[in-house]
Amino acid sequence: MTVDARAPGPPLLQIAGLHKSYGAAEVLKGVDLTVATGEVVTIIGPSGSGKTTLLRCVNFLETYEQGSIRIAGEEVGYRDAVRRQPRSETELARIRAETGMVFQAFNLFPHLTAAENVMLGLVKVRRKRKAEARTLAAHWLSRVGLADKLDRLPAELSGGQQQRVGIARAVAMEPKILLLDEITSALDPELVGEVLDVVLQLVREGMTMLVVTHEIAFARDVSHRIVFMAEGVVAADAAPAALFAPDHPNERLRAFLARFGARH
């Protein structure tokens, strides 16, 4: 499946001049990136290039020293990006709810059932009544093929099933953008397809996504744009056909893709 060549909507996620360091190690070195409404943007690149750190900054799971991240025009982590005035936890919870994140390690609460994991944010953040939250959880778990697993604990589910619970938990919150961080990297190879099929369905429905992945063929098929990150910067940003062109001018990109046999 290749995504429709539809015109992008208005800018939804706007990242400008983003810098992030861990001690003396600068991980993000001035990242600029925009994702439009309804657009699927995939980030690829070697390990240590800053891909996951970038996603965690978008959801403000990591603070950042310089730059701006806006969702629908609203600054994510700070009331004032210039003065670096941090938001309250209540404000952060509200904004994080607009950026649903699915993690590579599932991050389910082990003592809660599949339905209860999905319900938690609906009750605590969206202020839904438990009965309504349960109905929504059942709907989304059914959508990801887990209608018969509502009352199972994570330990009773396969890795692929746990990751599908994670996706259901994120999309049930009706976020403006879905952030997917290497969601297949912890799975056995035979379970990867069942998770990517769920993502593919969300792509078809027009969900806005920012995706970090090593699944190069999947990235090529579902993305409106692919971003190649290297050494903390955006080294290339183009539609799949242009990014995968054999004569792309970025030598580092060509070498990276050659490892996957990902040339036209």
Side-chain angles (χ1 to χ4, degrees):
M1 173 252 185
T2 302
V3 295
D4 296 333
R6 60 183 182 271
L12 177 63
L13 170 64
Q14 297 168 293
I15 303 171
L18 192 66
H19 289 258
K20 168 65 182 177
S21 298
Y22 295 102
E26 190 176 21
V27 179
L28 301 177
K29 305 174 183 178
V31 172
D32 298 305
L33 180 64
T34 299
V35 179
T37 301
E39 192 174 30
V40 178
V41 176
T42 300
I43 305 174
I44 62 173
S47 297
S49 58
K51 307 183 300 296
T52 289
T53 299
L54 177 60
L55 247 61
R56 291 179 64 84
C57 287
V58 170
N59 209 31
F60 210 67
L61 296 173
E62 298 283 355
T63 59
Y64 44 91
E65 291 76 41
Q66 185 178 335
S68 171
I69 301 175
R70 291 177 175 269
I71 302 286
E74 184 175 24
E75 192 71 33
V76 170
Y78 302 96
R79 290 194 187 95
D80 185 327
V82 176
R83 297 180 182 177
R84 319 299 286 173
Q85 296 175 341
R87 292 190 178 277
S88 68
E89 285 301 319
T90 300
E91 289 176 313
L92 281 175
R94 174 183 60 79
I95 294 173
R96 284 191 183 120
E98 307 298 341
T99 56
M101 189 158 180
V102 184
F103 303 85
Q104 73 179 61
F106 317 145
N107 284 21
L108 301 180
F109 291 100
H111 63 290
L112 299 180
T113 65
E116 288 168 343
N117 266 282
V118 178
M119 291 170 60
L120 190 61
L122 293 170
V123 172
K124 297 291 187 181
V125 179
R126 294 298 193 202
R127 303 298 181 186
K128 304 285 187 185
R129 293 185 177 182
K130 286 188 177 181
E132 182 183 2
R134 172 80 182 190
T135 299
L136 288 169
H139 167 76
W140 282 108
L141 287 168
S142 177
R143 284 285 310 276
V144 300
L146 297 174
D148 59 339
K149 308 292 185 184
L150 271 64
D151 297 313
R152 298 290 182 88
L153 292 170
E156 300 175 288
L157 303 174
S158 71
Q161 290 169 338
Q162 290 185 61
Q163 194 58 289
R164 284 186 278 157
V165 173
I167 295 171
R169 177 178 60 182
V171 296
M173 297 289 287
E174 298 184 341
K176 290 185 170 72
I177 185 169
L178 192 61
L179 310 175
L180 306 180
D181 182 23
E182 297 282 13
I183 62 170
T184 61
S185 65
L187 300 178
D188 292 333
E190 64 268 22
L191 301 177
V192 170
E194 69 183 54
V195 172
L196 294 184
D197 284 345
V198 172
V199 177
L200 184 58
Q201 183 59 40
L202 294 172
V203 171
R204 288 175 173 145
E205 294 171 6
M207 174 74 74
T208 307
M209 297 188 195
L210 184 60
V211 183
V212 169
T213 186
H214 278 107
E215 301 287 341
I216 300 299
F218 183 76
R220 177 166 52 191
D221 288 345
V222 305
S223 305
H224 295 91
R225 287 169 32 232
I226 299 179
V227 170
F228 174 63
M229 287 189 67
E231 299 180 353
V233 300
V234 173
D237 180 349
L243 194 103
F244 285 93
D247 59 348
H248 193 285
N250 189 298
E251 183 178 350
R252 181 77 182 271
L253 170 63
R254 295 199 310 270
F256 175 79
L257 293 176
R259 294 166 44 203
F260 297 91
R263 306 246 50 103
H264 279 312

